[in-house]
Amino acid sequence: MSANGSRKRKGPYLKWKDRTPLDVTSEEQWQTVPTLAATDSTGCDNNSSHADGIPEVVSVCSDTEYQDALSGDEPPEGYQPSVVDTDLDELLEEIQKVVREERSEDLVDDEQTEVLAEKIAETTTYNTAEALKEGDADKLSSELFPGSKKALGAVILLLCIFMIRFRISDEAMNYLLSIIGMLLPDNHRFPASLYHLRKYLSVYTYLPQVKYYCSFCYAHVDKDAKHCPNHFCSSDLTLPGSVSYFILHNLTNQLQALFKRKSFTESVRNHRFSRSVKQNTISDVYDGQLYQTLWQHGFLSDPNSLSFAMNTDGVAIFKSSKVSIWPAYLLINELPIKDRRARENTLFYGMWISTKKPVMWSFLKPMFEEFKQLEKGIAMEDHTGAHFTCKATLLTCTCDLPAKSLVSNSIQFNGNYGCWHCLQQGENFRTDSGGNCHVFPPQLDNLDGPPRTKQSVLSSVNKVLGDIASGKVNTTDKGVKGPFWFLYLSYFNVIDGFVIDYLHGVCSGVMKLLLSLWFSNDNKRQHFSFFQHRQRVSNYLKSIKPTLSISRVPRSLDDLAFWKASEYRSFLYYWGIPVLRDVLPPLYFLHFGLLVRAINLLSSESISEDDFIAAEACLSQFVVDFPTLYSLRYCTMNVHQLLHLVRCIRQTGPLFINNCFIFEDLNGFLVQHIHGTQGIDTQVVRTINLIQTIPILKEKFLHLCDDVAQCVSSMSSNNTHSSWQHLSDNTYRIGPLYSRSLTVEEFRAIREMFPSLFFSDVKCFLKMYLRDVESYVYGSLYRKLLRRDQSAIRYETSGSHCRYGSVLFFAIVEENEQQSCIAVIHPFNLCDSSSKSHINEVIKGDTLEAISLERVVDSIIHVEVGNKHYLCHAPNRYDSD
């Protein structure tokens, strides 16, 4: 049985539409649908009669389940009708009879499902309690073999990191374990196979859950059920392909495992209270209005309370198959930013595997149920054995537009009222080729309004339910298709909680659109096309040498179709202004500059009120001028939602806090660890378990062996430097010293700093590391960086003013029996010293200067275009590739 269940069938809803008359007006009047209860400012239901706070409307949605079948809208599973008409019962029985007659011939094999396991994946992970009884925890603390200085747990830690770092397949790992075992004494405790290794690790992992559902109505079913419990469906579940499944990981169990780690517990309890932040600025999610509201209500001011940032999106596994996985992740906001993004601290909710998109009311129902329990509080135990109550809630959900519409049960971005943040309808635009697209003309009297609110969503949900109950099909109201699970969470803001993602919206959206309009062959006859400069721009891009923090060097416009989102981001942040300055006409260049300035301000690590005002003015003008400079045809959702971006940042924090770059990296990581086409779900689950086990093993065994700790540190990072020398609190020398005979100009520069220097030979080095800003600086004499420039720096003068330069080399100079570390630089002079832009044109000095390494503040990005030089400041430390 395949994971996606359905095998070349139309699907129950399409089939019912084909077999059932759409006119049901002759049926008796359906029961009146009760209205949704209003909520207070925190999102809590004031009128619910249910203990868990779910509004009464949940119990009535299935009164319209048949109509949802006709319209293709799937209501949340588990709803029971309060009143069922006799005539409707007879109609449904007739439908079921027709469906059953056709079902057997529809459920045929699908060649796309052959990549999935024949049977539901049952992982080989042992039950935790059984593993503990077997004493595996004690075995890990024992020595590898009698007389060995290495603990078995430390060696297993190395194996786990090795598997992850080098993406080792199961087959290769089995051979490796066998080879190592043959080299050890006969009485060793080393795992003989991958089976035994996983048995050791089972002490620290939890079994995933397999959630079964009916392939026709998507209602959750028991594994051994014979018929679907949904009486509107009642399908025969013994037929091949009639039952499907998705994978779940219990969130409570994952949180308990995290709280058992000392480093995690201390971070979530202390970081948000001890961080330093400028007054009246926004630098993290804690400063946003959503977090502040829950803080003031006392929910998140408790050190044991947590909030989550959620994402789900489809990931293609193989190019030759339509099968995709939809993982769902949760980040913990209370961790420091870098720890928040670490894979071992990420909660893995579950995974949908299918050739089709997930049905969210089925996929997210277990998440909703867990969130309701977490909002009330769950008993936990920390690393000291102390018991406490942990409360948690969903704060934000960051998805691309198609996934957001699935989660929020709303229409797509290309339909009327497709914007989730306002109630502008938009309009249909007829293209020159005869096609249609949905556009949002700027409403000059109310650019970003009228705003969509939770009350308007509740009203739309009630109206949709009422329309369906009265017999209407394919009904929506102001973009809302019906209820969704997050609507019933107590603390989730259903409008501002859905974050505008700038990966898909700005980088792969607006920035990609602009480059296509300017330089695409399809638009070269348009008035906004600058196709004649395409080759010139490509040459400029290929000549740029980025820093090491930018993994992808700029590519030609000929490869524009293959650019990644991070390349569009780099063009927006750094390359665009220098490259296009002499290419675009002034009006178009200034218009593009509005976008660059606004995104840079909203991506900075500290956003002031003045920054918000400036960014909002820039984005508003950018959107207003867009149809004039280009065409109304291109004022699509990505351009329109720029008007809501400032409000989104005020609510949830800077752009680098909530975006899909973080989650796309996790998706890519999972795909890289899939080997072969069989048992995809099992491979993903084992990878997740391995990632979550590594930090536990580190805390338990890393301190036992210094050489193991060094090896772990080396394999756990991309840092391959072995010869680091501490120079000061902030600086480290990388690589060996070498003797250098100074040129006349170099000797003069150093002599100005050290007048008593008489020797022209000094000890030099070419690489250093700045710990405070976590940045490398390489001298330009370092010849191995052919396509990179890591030599540009910002340094302080004696008057605490900042200047810029390009490092030639570093040197250690002895004077009066004291050693001093210096950098010999080519200074840069600003063309406009009063500029506050993050990109500035500079003139490279002809003479050399020597400065102390203690004055170096950080490295910056040097862009050379033609015969002009520009220096670019990164808006933050976290938007690196």
Side-chain angles (χ1 to χ4, degrees):
M1 179 171 56
S2 66
N4 67 333
S6 58
R7 305 190 181 190
K8 281 190 176 178
R9 58 182 177 82
K10 298 178 183 179
Y13 301 113
L14 292 177
K15 187 182 300 182
W16 289 6
K17 288 177 68 175
D18 292 341
R19 297 290 182 176
T20 308
L22 295 181
D23 182 11
V24 293
T25 56
S26 60
E27 298 299 324
E28 297 181 6
Q29 184 66 33
W30 286 27
Q31 176 189 357
T32 302
V33 180
T35 58
L36 285 169
T39 58
D40 59 20
S41 59
T42 64
C44 300
D45 180 18
N46 294 326
N47 302 310
S48 174
S49 61
H50 291 259
D52 58 2
I54 305 176
E56 289 284 356
V57 71
V58 173
S59 64
V60 305
C61 197
S62 272
D63 289 345
T64 62
E65 187 163 5
Y66 166 66
Q67 295 298 318
D68 280 341
L70 293 178
S71 65
D73 295 334
E74 302 91 350
E77 178 271 333
Y79 291 359
Q80 296 297 328
S82 51
V83 175
V84 180
D85 282 72
T86 304
D87 292 341
L88 182 60
D89 278 343
E90 294 176 357
L91 179 61
L92 289 175
E93 289 178 2
E94 181 180 350
I95 294 171
Q96 290 297 325
K97 180 180 178 181
V98 175
V99 170
R100 282 193 295 270
E101 291 174 355
E102 298 291 335
R103 183 168 299 158
S104 297
E105 64 185 49
D106 258 356
L107 292 177
V108 296
D109 288 339
D110 186 345
E111 68 272 16
Q112 299 293 346
T113 66
E114 66 183 3
V115 299
L116 303 175
E118 284 297 318
K119 295 184 179 180
I120 293 176
E122 300 290 354
T123 63
T124 58
T125 311
Y126 282 84
N127 180 276
T128 303
E130 294 178 358
L132 289 173
K133 288 179 182 178
E134 296 173 5
D136 286 337
D138 295 334
K139 292 180 182 178
L140 290 178
S141 300
S142 61
E143 56 192 11
L144 180 60
F145 55 84
S148 173
K149 297 181 180 180
K150 303 292 185 295
L152 176 60
V155 176
I156 287 181
L157 169 61
L158 286 176
L159 290 174
C160 292
I161 297 177
F162 183 80
M163 290 176 65
I164 292 297
R165 176 65 188 273
F166 300 104
R167 304 193 289 272
I168 305 299
S169 66
D170 287 359
E171 182 181 14
M173 196 63 196
N174 262 319
Y175 281 116
L176 178 63
L177 294 175
S178 299
I179 293 172
I180 295 176
M182 288 189 293
L183 301 177
L184 294 174
D186 293 338
N187 54 354
H188 67 80
R189 297 183 176 88
F190 189 78
S193 65
L194 199 54
Y195 169 86
H196 293 92
L197 176 62
R198 289 176 179 144
K199 182 178 177 182
Y200 282 132
L201 297 178
S202 65
V203 180
Y204 307 109
T205 58
Y206 292 92
L207 278 170
Q209 302 174 19
V210 180
K211 201 71 175 180
Y212 300 92
Y213 63 88
C214 172
S215 298
F216 292 93
C217 70
Y218 299 97
H220 293 176
V221 299
D222 293 332
K223 179 180 179 180
D224 300 322
K226 304 299 183 184
H227 293 87
C228 178
N230 180 2
H231 64 273
F232 286 113
C233 177
S234 301
S235 300
D236 183 358
L237 301 183
T238 61
L239 296 175
S242 59
V243 176
S244 303
Y245 70 96
F246 56 88
I247 302 296
L248 294 178
H249 264 240
N250 186 276
L251 298 179
T252 303
N253 289 343
Q254 293 181 72
L255 284 175
Q256 178 58 83
L258 289 173
F259 274 113
K260 280 294 185 179
R261 289 163 40 194
K262 179 181 178 181
S263 58
F264 173 86
T265 305
E266 292 178 347
S267 290
V268 298
R269 287 177 174 174
N270 298 322
H271 170 67
R272 67 190 120 161
F273 303 99
S274 60
R275 70 189 186 97
S276 59
V277 60
K278 296 179 181 178
Q279 190 174 6
N280 299 323
T281 62
I282 290 183
S283 59
D284 204 341
V285 65
Y286 318 116
D287 308 315
Q289 189 58 47
L290 293 186
Y291 202 98
Q292 285 295 308
T293 299
L294 296 183
W295 180 286
Q296 292 163 8
H297 279 81
F299 182 84
L300 290 178
S301 59
D302 184 342
N304 293 320
S305 295
L306 304 174
S307 64
F308 303 122
M310 178 245 182
N311 167 269
T312 185
D313 195 8
V315 186
I317 306 175
F318 309 113
K319 294 181 179 179
S320 59
S321 170
K322 294 181 180 180
V323 174
S324 63
I325 61 175
W326 281 71
Y329 309 101
L330 296 171
L331 301 186
I332 300 175
N333 293 318
E334 285 62 35
L335 289 168
I337 295 175
K338 289 202 169 181
D339 294 338
R340 193 181 311 166
R341 299 179 172 194
R343 299 185 187 110
E344 61 266 22
N345 295 326
T346 302
L347 299 182
F348 179 74
Y349 160 71
M351 178 178 57
W352 182 283
I353 307 180
S354 178
T355 59
K356 305 180 185 302
K357 294 180 179 180
V359 178
M360 288 299 177
W361 65 258
S362 180
F363 182 44
L364 296 183
K365 181 185 178 183
M367 177 186 284
F368 167 77
E369 293 171 344
E370 283 206 77
F371 277 154
K372 295 303 292 185
Q373 293 298 319
L374 287 169
E375 287 178 345
K376 297 175 183 178
I378 298 290
M380 292 282 178
E381 181 180 342
D382 65 16
H383 64 285
T384 66
H387 294 269
F388 64 95
T389 299
C390 173
K391 292 185 177 181
T393 189
L394 179 66
L395 188 72
T396 59
C397 177
T398 307
C399 305
D400 62 9
L401 291 175
K404 182 191 293 186
S405 68
L406 292 177
V407 175
S408 62
N409 197 17
S410 59
I411 67 171
Q412 287 271 21
F413 56 91
N414 54 356
N416 290 332
Y417 299 101
C419 179
W420 188 249
H421 296 272
C422 74
L423 293 175
Q424 291 187 23
Q425 181 176 357
E427 63 184 45
N428 186 60
F429 186 92
R430 189 75 172 176
T431 64
D432 295 338
S433 60
N436 294 281
C437 66
H438 199 78
V439 298
F440 291 84
Q443 306 296 315
L444 300 181
D445 56 337
N446 191 4
L447 275 178
D448 60 346
R452 190 186 295 270
T453 64
K454 182 171 185 177
Q455 298 305 320
S456 69
V457 173
L458 293 172
S459 176
S460 295
V461 168
N462 282 318
K463 187 176 185 305
V464 169
L465 294 177
D467 288 345
I468 297 176
S470 63
K472 295 182 180 179
V473 296
N474 294 325
T475 180
T476 64
D477 183 68
K478 296 181 179 178
V480 177
K481 296 168 65 175
F484 56 96
W485 287 118
F486 293 170
L487 183 63
Y488 306 118
L489 292 176
S490 300
Y491 301 103
F492 182 72
N493 187 312
V494 296
I495 305 300
D496 297 316
F498 285 101
V499 179
I500 296 174
D501 171 46
Y502 94 110
L503 182 155
H504 299 95
V506 178
C507 301
S508 294
V510 178
M511 190 65 256
K512 182 178 181 179
L513 171 64
L514 288 174
L515 285 171
S516 177
L517 295 177
W518 293 331
F519 304 113
S520 171
N521 186 61
D522 297 335
N523 297 313
K524 65 181 180 180
R525 297 185 183 277
Q526 301 292 337
H527 67 277
F528 48 75
S529 174
F530 309 103
F531 184 80
Q532 67 273 21
H533 299 295
R534 178 187 176 103
Q535 190 57 49
R536 179 183 172 191
V537 172
S538 294
N539 292 337
Y540 282 160
L541 288 172
K542 290 188 291 184
S543 68
I544 293 174
K545 297 181 178 181
T547 59
L548 294 172
S549 62
I550 302 173
S551 61
R552 296 180 181 274
V553 296
R555 288 193 280 178
S556 166
L557 292 178
D558 296 334
D559 300 320
L560 191 62
F562 306 102
W563 280 26
K564 301 295 185 181
S566 60
E567 294 176 272
Y568 291 112
R569 178 180 61 187
S570 296
F571 190 93
L572 180 63
Y573 279 170
Y574 313 119
W575 323 140
I577 293 296
V579 166
L580 299 177
R581 181 174 180 178
D582 297 328
V583 173
L584 297 183
L587 191 59
Y588 284 86
F589 181 75
L590 291 175
H591 182 253
F592 172 61
L594 294 174
L595 178 66
V596 173
R597 175 164 172 75
I599 299 304
N600 180 74
L601 290 174
L602 298 178
S603 300
S604 61
E605 294 187 25
S606 180
I607 309 174
S608 66
E609 182 61 28
D610 289 342
D611 293 336
F612 278 121
I613 294 174
E616 189 166 30
C618 288
L619 291 176
S620 298
Q621 193 64 48
F622 180 85
V623 175
V624 168
D625 292 343
F626 202 91
T628 303
L629 293 177
Y630 300 97
S631 168
L632 180 60
R633 183 257 180 271
Y634 301 107
C635 291
T636 54
M637 176 61 72
N638 287 329
V639 175
H640 168 76
Q641 67 181 0
L642 292 176
L643 297 170
H644 305 297
L645 197 56
V646 169
R647 173 179 172 82
C648 179
I649 305 278
R650 288 181 182 273
Q651 295 289 324
T652 62
L655 285 175
F656 63 85
I657 294 297
N658 295 291
N659 62 70
C660 284
F661 280 105
I662 307 166
F663 301 106
E664 292 285 341
D665 177 68
L666 290 170
N667 288 338
F669 173 81
L670 289 184
V671 171
Q672 288 174 347
H673 285 80
I674 294 177
H675 304 281
T677 60
Q678 300 299 313
I680 296 172
D681 44 10
T682 305
Q683 294 183 60
V684 172
V685 165
R686 286 171 175 168
T687 299
I688 294 294
N689 283 341
L690 202 58
I691 284 294
Q692 295 179 344
T693 303
I694 287 174
I696 302 175
L697 296 177
K698 283 183 179 180
E699 288 201 354
K700 288 184 175 293
F701 305 110
L702 200 59
H703 65 281
L704 300 178
C705 308
D706 292 338
D707 51 349
V708 170
Q710 184 177 355
C711 186
V712 167
S713 177
S714 178
M715 281 199 297
S716 299
S717 67
N718 292 324
N719 174 19
T720 58
H721 299 296
S722 58
S723 54
W724 287 52
Q725 178 67 42
H726 182 263
L727 300 177
S728 66
D729 292 339
N730 184 42
T731 58
Y732 291 82
R733 170 175 64 82
I734 302 174
L737 294 171
Y738 71 96
S739 295
R740 175 176 176 81
S741 297
L742 302 177
T743 64
V744 174
E745 184 65 19
E746 295 166 356
F747 182 76
R748 181 201 59 78
I750 298 177
R751 184 75 179 272
E752 288 182 0
M753 189 174 181
F754 301 97
S756 61
L757 181 67
F758 293 102
F759 299 98
S760 60
D761 288 346
V762 295
K763 298 294 184 182
C764 299
F765 60 97
L766 295 176
K767 296 180 288 184
M768 66 170 287
Y769 179 73
L770 299 171
R771 187 187 63 180
D772 290 350
V773 293
E774 300 179 354
S775 178
Y776 295 92
V777 181
Y778 286 27
S780 59
L781 294 180
Y782 188 73
R783 301 304 182 189
K784 292 184 179 181
L785 287 181
L786 301 178
R787 288 298 312 274
R788 305 282 176 172
D789 184 356
Q790 197 70 28
S791 64
I793 60 169
R794 178 165 63 100
Y795 64 96
E796 291 182 340
T797 62
S798 56
S800 296
H801 299 293
C802 284
R803 294 191 61 189
Y804 305 93
S806 175
V807 174
L808 188 64
F809 62 88
F810 305 99
I812 297 179
V813 179
E814 292 188 9
E815 185 182 43
N816 300 326
E817 298 182 354
Q818 290 186 348
Q819 287 189 343
S820 299
C821 298
I822 65 170
V824 178
I825 68 170
H826 281 285
F828 287 122
N829 299 313
L830 292 174
C831 293
D832 182 4
S833 58
S834 62
S835 173
K836 295 183 179 180
S837 173
H838 75 291
I839 301 177
N840 293 283
E841 185 178 357
V842 295
I843 299 175
K844 193 171 185 179
D846 296 328
T847 61
L848 296 177
E849 293 183 10
I851 62 171
S852 171
L853 289 190
E854 296 177 354
R855 292 165 55 187
V856 178
V857 177
D858 59 11
S859 66
I860 57 176
I861 299 171
H862 173 218
V863 179
E864 185 175 355
V865 176
N867 58 355
K868 294 182 179 180
H869 298 266
Y870 299 85
L871 296 180
C872 309
H873 294 270
N876 59 75
R877 293 169 290 172
Y878 308 103
D879 266 340
S880 58
D881 294 350

